[in-house]
Amino acid sequence: MRSPLCPLLALDLGADDDEDLDPVYYQELIDSPPPREVRVVPDAVHMVHGNLQLANVDFSEFAEEAAADPDGVVRDVTVSSASPGSLPHPGP
């Protein structure tokens, strides 16, 4: 589980709030629901968990970060070189 070659699967188990959406006004959201899963390298699990716990970052933002990665995974921005626009890292 510590191998960076084997990213872990993170799932968004939050309740679906889109069941009561009015299709006239929210059709775009209904047609393309937010991502429910993302792959995370082991070194970034604590960063993802901390940011979700503190509500610094939404799950969909981690999905966007993974989509921008060549391997399709979320990486710990403190381990690699942080780029402008990188996700925040909780901590002191």
Side-chain angles (χ1 to χ4, degrees), residues 77-83 86:
V77 295
T78 60
V79 174
S80 63
S81 60
S83 61
S86 294

Side-chain angles (χ1 to χ4, degrees), residues 5 9 22-23 28 30 33 43-44 55-56 59-60 63 74 79-80 84 86 91-92:
L5 302 176
L9 180 63
D22 183 347
E28 183 178 332
I30 292 169
D43 287 341
N56 285 343
F59 195 87
S60 61
V74 174
V79 174
S80 63
S86 294

Side-chain angles (χ1 to χ4, degrees), residues 3-85:
S3 171
L5 302 176
C6 296
L8 304 171
L9 180 63
L11 300 172
D12 179 9
L13 300 177
D16 281 333
D17 293 334
D18 58 353
E19 292 176 5
D20 297 327
L21 294 178
D22 183 347
V24 172
Y25 296 106
Y26 298 104
Q27 192 62 46
E28 183 178 332
L29 182 59
I30 292 169
D31 290 341
S32 52
R36 305 295 292 199
E37 64 182 46
V38 67
R39 293 283 177 173
V40 181
V41 294
D43 287 341
V45 169
H46 291 292
M47 183 265 307
V48 169
H49 177 260
N51 278 296
L52 290 173
Q53 254 333 86
L54 295 171
N56 285 343
V57 180
D58 291 331
F59 195 87
S60 61
E61 292 177 80
F62 284 115
E64 289 173 16
E65 187 79 9
D69 183 80
D71 296 324
V73 298
V74 174
R75 301 179 187 281
D76 191 345
V77 295
T78 60
V79 174
S80 63
S81 60
S83 61

